[in-house]
Amino acid sequence: MRIVALVSGSGTTLQAVLDAVAEGRIDANVVAVGADKDCHGLERAQGAGADTFLVEPSAYPDRPAWNRALQQAVERHEPDLVLLAGFMRILDEEFVTAFAPALINTHPALLPSFPGAHGVRDALAHGVKITGATVHRVTAAVDSGQILGQVAVPVLADDDEATLHERIKTAERDLFVDVVAELCADADTQ
């Protein structure tokens, strides 16, 4: 399978996927990695030999124009699977429709609880004792697609947003790799 990943930051989730591909745990090739800003995730991709591209929103007159440019950049690589590996922008319905159901995202909470940009903060504010991570298919509605996998992470008495988020990200990376590996294996048998 041909994977295109989108990143916005350090790329630790992307690195987990790249490592799993290199180790043969994911039967696929990460053919390209794109970003919405210059970030360390692009350097990780280059180090793994993947093509990279940058589509910065500030270079476009509005969000629809940026979405079309990003969509075209992804389409050029003919992906079988598009991974949002720490990509921190909401994609419009046209973008989502172009790649669904092969557009996969992670979220730092046990959906459907605590959707949106502040899942960790919201879980702490609500006083839950268990939160976690979800891998799901992307739909036009934020964090509402089919759940492909979840992992629970306990909330410790001394947790703050940073410490809890770090533990969630560790569990999330393993879950993401497992789900992507399963999706690729299922595609091989069809």
Side-chain angles (χ1 to χ4, degrees):
M1 290 189 70
R2 295 173 58 84
I3 293 175
V4 172
L6 298 177
V7 298
S8 291
S10 65
T12 56
T13 302
L14 169 66
Q15 189 65 58
V17 171
L18 292 170
D19 291 347
V21 167
E23 295 163 3
R25 293 186 293 139
I26 295 177
D27 185 17
N29 293 312
V30 178
V31 295
V33 175
D36 59 332
K37 61 184 178 180
D38 190 23
C39 61
H40 189 61
L42 292 176
E43 294 172 25
R44 291 177 189 269
Q46 291 164 348
D51 287 342
T52 60
F53 57 91
L54 180 60
V55 184
E56 294 179 297
S58 62
Y60 297 89
D62 54 33
R63 289 195 55 84
W66 172 76
N67 271 272
R68 298 298 68 76
L70 182 63
Q71 181 179 335
Q72 291 167 1
V74 172
E75 286 172 338
R76 277 195 285 278
H77 295 282
E78 301 176 356
D80 299 304
L81 201 56
V82 179
L83 306 179
L84 304 183
F87 191 68
M88 298 306 295
R89 295 207 181 258
I90 295 173
L91 301 165
D92 71 11
E93 187 171 359
E94 188 174 334
F95 185 102
V96 171
T97 301
F99 300 106
L103 184 59
I104 310 301
N105 189 29
T106 65
H107 181 72
L110 295 173
L111 293 173
S113 297
F114 312 118
H118 304 291
V120 178
R121 181 185 314 159
D122 294 345
L124 282 170
H126 279 82
V128 298
K129 300 301 178 197
I130 296 175
T131 187
T134 302
V135 176
H136 63 96
R137 294 190 190 278
V138 176
T139 63
V142 174
D143 295 329
S144 65
Q146 176 193 7
I147 294 171
L148 300 173
Q150 292 184 307
V151 61
V153 174
V155 179
L156 304 178
D158 60 345
D159 268 334
D160 60 21
E161 188 175 353
T163 59
L164 179 57
H165 200 183
E166 200 53 47
R167 284 200 331 282
I168 291 171
K169 287 192 289 188
T170 299
E172 183 178 53
R173 286 189 288 269
D174 292 339
L175 176 66
F176 198 56
V177 165
D178 291 345
V179 169
V180 172
E182 186 175 324
L183 290 169
C184 292
D186 288 350
D188 288 343
T189 62
Q190 295 178 3

